[in-house]
Amino acid sequence: MKAFTYERPASAAEAAAAAVRIPGAKFIAGGTNLLDLMKLQIETPTHLVDVNSIGFDRIEPTDQGGLRIGALVRNTDLAADPRIRRDYGVLSRAIVSGASGQLRNKATTAGNLLQRTRCPYFYDTDMACNKRTPGSGCAAIGGLNANHAILGASEACIATHPSDMAVAMRALDASVETVAPSGASRSIPIADLHCLPGNTPHVETVLEPGELITAVTLPKPRGGLQLYRKVRERASYAFATVSVALIAKIEEGRLTVDRLAFGGLAHKPWRVEQAEHAVAGAVADSIADVVLSGARPTEQNSYKLPLVRRTLAATLEHARAGASR
């Protein structure tokens, strides 16, 4: 780990200003991803801006009937909050399916959304990675890529986004609130937060330099049955091979898809609105046809195509069983 300086600002405005005042500065909260990357010298910040003392650690109701989740709310606290469990069950289920209890106790809401890919070539500094070193190439293309993206990938990067929380947030139409070094604030739909790789896979979000996430806002509850199903290579402490976040409703005795998002398939949480509206109430294969339109699997990860279908079918069957009780 390389030497760095450190400060602990007292406000979001001070933190954002500090992040641009010193070139190479990074925010740190829980540190569950950043510290690992620093040890491997994948991230080499010259200065750490510790945001743990600036507040933003509460979950509060909004005037619109939803909830505002502070950026520093720990994953454990968010998943266990009675309002989240009652009204946003897909989010609670997604959080507890990820990492370990110890990591969830430290990891923050904003940090979870901003964690970097777990592609093994990104973590191996002896291998080419356009995300780590722009222009160096992508060793995953033509390498071992069984867990890589089948949707939204490019000739420069086929990595996937690792967050379970982000998939549920995408299904819930969450928005991300930020403050810039200038003091200006904005709200970003979570659909727009993460970038597809294109020719610039090192640009992972639309956040500007020094822009700090202060909260994530959930709209008023949608109701319905909310499920999160995660398929992974081992029973725990593993990232999704395929995951499904589903919000479904019973209308005139028929189960219909209200919201649907997927993890493990792309560089960002993957949601295709046409799969929710054009084929609502259809069989799983018809919905999967829409979701997988444009998929470009490799020889090694083509198994994800039938796995998406089977995982979606199992999730819908689970919802039907719950609706019939």
Side-chain angles (χ1 to χ4, degrees), residues 191-249:
D192 300 331
L193 176 65
H194 300 100
C195 301
L196 290 177
N199 294 320
T200 56
H202 60 289
V203 180
E204 298 178 342
T205 72
V206 298
L207 298 178
E208 300 292 338
E211 191 171 8
L212 176 67
I213 294 178
T214 57
V216 176
T217 302
L218 301 178
K220 67 188 229 178
R222 300 195 65 84
L225 295 163
Q226 301 191 14
L227 301 173
Y228 188 78
R229 181 177 288 264
K230 180 177 180 178
V231 178
R232 45 191 162 183
E233 292 185 344
R234 59 181 187 268
S236 62
Y237 311 155
F239 297 97
T241 302
V242 171
S243 64
V244 178
L246 172 70
I247 303 175
K249 292 185 177 179

Side-chain angles (χ1 to χ4, degrees), residues 150 288 292 295-297 301-310:
I150 62 172
L292 295 172
R296 296 172 55 196
N301 69 13
S302 60
Y303 73 92
K304 288 193 176 187
L305 298 175
L307 185 59
V308 168
R309 297 179 183 277
R310 293 168 185 166

Side-chain angles (χ1 to χ4, degrees), residues 112-179:
N112 187 293
L113 296 179
L114 297 179
Q115 62 184 300
R116 307 197 69 186
T117 184
R118 263 53 178 200
C119 171
Y121 296 105
F122 173 72
Y123 274 78
D124 186 346
T125 54
D126 290 328
M127 304 301 292
C129 175
N130 287 318
K131 185 178 287 294
R132 190 183 63 248
T133 308
S136 64
C138 176
I141 298 177
L144 299 174
N145 52 44
N147 286 323
H148 286 67
I150 62 172
L151 291 163
S154 71
E155 297 301 318
C157 181
I158 58 173
T160 58
H161 195 275
S163 173
D164 293 292
M165 177 191 290
V167 179
M169 294 281 198
R170 181 69 182 91
L172 291 166
D173 287 317
S175 295
V176 176
E177 298 179 359
T178 69
V179 62

Side-chain angles (χ1 to χ4, degrees), residues 297-323:
T298 68
E299 182 178 350
Q300 295 175 37
N301 69 13
S302 60
Y303 73 92
K304 288 193 176 187
L305 298 175
L307 185 59
V308 168
R309 297 179 183 277
R310 293 168 185 166
T311 306
L312 177 58
T315 308
L316 289 171
E317 186 57 35
H318 186 179
R320 290 188 185 99

